[in-house]
Amino acid sequence: MKKILVTGATGLIGSNLIPRLLRAGYDVRATLYKDPPVVVDSLIEYYDCDLTYEHDCKEAVDDCDIVVHAAANTSGANEIQNNPMGHVTPNVVM
């Protein structure tokens, strides 16, 4: 069975995708950054990391066959409107 890495496991996309992948029989590794897991299942291999660091990225993808990159640096609409470039660098780096 293929191992799938899902980045952004606590976000809208990641937290909804992970249960579907588990039901389909995939081995799932998922990244966490600041928030605790949304989906709690002993079958999920969680990896605490900061994907803006190359070393963390390399460790996260190790032995994975597929990567679903759903992680993003986000904030509220007001912050984005007042500082639109503030999210560009970390998101591009990831």
Side-chain angles (χ1 to χ4, degrees):
M1 186 51 62
K2 296 202 181 255
K3 181 181 271 190
I4 298 181
L5 170 66
V6 179
T7 67
T10 61
L12 177 68
I13 295 170
S15 65
N16 283 283
L17 179 61
I18 290 170
R20 292 175 188 208
L21 293 171
L22 291 174
R23 283 194 302 271
Y26 290 98
D27 290 333
V28 176
R29 177 182 295 159
T31 63
L32 299 173
Y33 179 51
K34 292 181 179 179
D35 298 323
V38 174
V39 180
V40 178
D41 191 309
S42 63
L43 296 175
I44 303 167
E45 176 190 350
Y46 279 111
Y47 179 64
D48 245 330
C49 64
D50 182 342
L51 294 173
T52 63
Y53 293 114
E54 182 179 357
H55 178 266
D56 283 359
C57 288
K58 286 180 178 180
E59 283 192 5
V61 302
D62 187 45
D63 295 330
C64 289
D65 301 298
I66 299 168
V67 175
V68 177
H69 182 51
N73 181 310
T74 62
S75 63
N78 189 43
E79 174 64 25
I80 293 171
Q81 184 174 2
N82 292 327
N83 184 17
M85 296 304 291
H87 293 21
V88 171
T89 299
N91 287 321
V92 169
V93 169
M94 282 190 268

